[in-house]
Amino acid sequence: MLVVAYIGFGNSVCRYHLPYVERRKDIIKVKYIYRRQEDRIGDEERETWYPDITFTSDIEQIMKDNEVNLVVVNTPDAFHVDYTMQALENGKNVLCEKPFAMTAKEAKRVFDFAKEKGLVAMSNQNRRFDADMRTVRKVIESGVLGEILEVESHYDYYRPSIADRKGFGILYGLAVHPIDQIIGQFGNPKKVVYDCRSIDNPGEADDYYDIDFFYDTMKAIVKTSYYVKLDYPRFIVHGRKGSFLMPSLGHQSAQANKPGPVEISFDPLPEDKWGTLSYIDEDGQDITKKVPTEIQDYGIIYDNLYDVIFNNGEKVVKDEEVIEVLRIIEEATKVAKEAK
């Protein structure tokens, strides 16, 4: 069984981990959540929502507990590597939130150390298991589109208030998701072309990006703008035999907070949230139909970790993929800083 200790008790743990882990009690036991004492002051009520979990401000209580075999790091980005290394040094496997590290070099150092210790360290690239990405993957892997020629991935918003924001971090906090989805699906590109900048604060922010990934005959585009007023498809996929459009579904981060543990629906989505597929079949017939949207399930990461740790399975998020994603984000950030 996976016996888990979380480091951090923010939105990520409550929304993207615990609701999915709750459905896997046959293989997962959450024993601890570590919080700094100053973070607990005035926020003790939330802890009572999870009576079966021990909340602690003593990190050594977790590190010295031999029953704990998986530490999940959910701290601010700058502390990811420090806590991951501490857990590895104490013989714990680690699942670390993204970005796994702030540089590709740091990530490689952590992965190398985990291998030396005979432990597993993996990045929680859970957005590979978003409902929309799972649906796109299913369509692509069905082969009905033939050879894939172009993929567009959009996280767009209409937030003119972005003009007041200066500073970097959107590439690390947001672009890390769609970049990983492309790398995870298609592998490392042969060439990457960057348009990363800020429309309002060029050279001082990274809130606009359009990054092109070139493979053999395929091109993938990852794009975000905060000046998109009309809904735009989340994914557009073109192949030699047809096309697929996946609408924007929104995300559970937009759901309002309410007292008590976060509840996640695993019910099928209505037809207006389905994708649209149009292709020429093997008989030359022109087929257009709606494709039911898959169910979002971030717990798949834990299923894989169980298999890797106990059955010597293969990581669903590979070390080299994490390193490549960080290398791309580093270069994208450099381009944004120079875009004046």
Side-chain angles (χ1 to χ4, degrees), residues 66-129:
N66 292 330
E67 187 183 18
V68 174
N69 53 26
L70 178 65
V71 169
V72 183
V73 177
N74 288 266
T75 64
D77 298 352
F79 303 105
H80 284 181
V81 169
D82 289 344
Y83 278 114
T84 296
M85 291 295 283
Q86 183 179 0
L88 291 170
E89 287 166 356
N90 283 275
K92 313 299 186 187
N93 302 292
V94 181
L95 177 66
C96 181
E97 272 299 335
K98 61 276 170 193
F100 184 80
M102 300 309 291
T103 68
K105 184 177 180 179
E106 276 187 318
K108 186 177 186 307
R109 176 170 66 88
V110 174
F111 288 134
D112 287 347
F113 184 66
K115 289 173 184 174
E116 289 174 15
K117 299 281 286 185
L119 296 166
V120 176
M122 193 163 79
S123 178
N124 185 44
Q125 292 289 2
N126 59 342
R127 302 296 292 270
R128 294 187 184 192
F129 307 106

Side-chain angles (χ1 to χ4, degrees), residues 253-273:
S253 61
Q255 296 174 358
N257 290 322
K258 60 181 181 179
V262 173
E263 297 179 0
I264 302 299
S265 173
F266 290 85
D267 295 333
L269 292 177
E271 190 169 339
D272 65 340
K273 299 294 186 181

Side-chain angles (χ1 to χ4, degrees), residues 37 46 52 76 117 120 130 156 183 193 227 238 250:
Q37 188 59 43
R46 288 198 303 136
D52 297 331
K117 299 281 286 185
V120 176
D130 279 350
D156 292 321
I183 299 300
V193 175
Y227 288 101
H238 301 299

Side-chain angles (χ1 to χ4, degrees), residues 47 112 146 157 205 236 240 272 283 306 308:
E47 297 183 9
D112 287 347
Y157 306 89
I236 304 171
R240 289 192 183 275
D272 65 340
D283 298 322
Y306 184 93
V308 173

Side-chain angles (χ1 to χ4, degrees), residues 160-166 200-201:
S161 60
I162 197 71
D164 300 325
R165 180 192 179 279
K166 293 184 180 180
D200 299 293
N201 301 292

Side-chain angles (χ1 to χ4, degrees), residues 6-170:
Y6 288 95
I7 298 180
F9 187 49
N11 190 55
S12 172
V13 171
C14 297
R15 283 188 180 273
Y16 311 138
H17 290 267
L18 293 177
Y20 299 95
V21 166
E22 176 70 17
R23 296 169 62 89
R24 292 167 165 82
K25 288 185 175 180
D26 57 325
I27 64 167
I28 302 173
K29 170 187 173 182
V30 179
K31 188 170 185 179
Y32 296 106
I33 292 179
Y34 167 79
R35 307 182 72 192
R36 298 181 308 170
Q37 188 59 43
E38 57 265 38
D39 294 333
R40 302 175 74 177
I41 297 172
D43 190 37
E44 297 93 342
E45 181 183 353
R46 288 198 303 136
E47 297 183 9
T48 67
W49 299 344
Y50 303 94
D52 297 331
I53 300 174
T54 298
F55 285 81
T56 180
S57 294
D58 180 5
I59 194 72
E60 290 302 315
Q61 184 178 5
I62 291 171
M63 297 301 171
K64 301 307 179 187
D65 188 331
N66 292 330
E67 187 183 18
V68 174
N69 53 26
L70 178 65
V71 169
V72 183
V73 177
N74 288 266
T75 64
D77 298 352
F79 303 105
H80 284 181
V81 169
D82 289 344
Y83 278 114
T84 296
M85 291 295 283
Q86 183 179 0
L88 291 170
E89 287 166 356
N90 283 275
K92 313 299 186 187
N93 302 292
V94 181
L95 177 66
C96 181
E97 272 299 335
K98 61 276 170 193
F100 184 80
M102 300 309 291
T103 68
K105 184 177 180 179
E106 276 187 318
K108 186 177 186 307
R109 176 170 66 88
V110 174
F111 288 134
D112 287 347
F113 184 66
K115 289 173 184 174
E116 289 174 15
K117 299 281 286 185
L119 296 166
V120 176
M122 193 163 79
S123 178
N124 185 44
Q125 292 289 2
N126 59 342
R127 302 296 292 270
R128 294 187 184 192
F129 307 106
D130 279 350
D132 47 25
M133 185 62 208
R134 294 189 74 192
T135 308
V136 167
R137 184 181 301 117
K138 183 176 180 179
V139 169
I140 289 174
E141 294 179 355
S142 74
V144 297
L145 297 179
E147 181 185 9
I148 303 302
L149 302 176
E150 187 172 76
V151 177
E152 285 189 55
S153 169
H154 286 255
Y155 276 115
D156 292 321
Y157 306 89
Y158 183 68
R159 295 180 185 170
S161 60
I162 197 71
D164 300 325
R165 180 192 179 279
K166 293 184 180 180
F168 296 86
I170 287 179

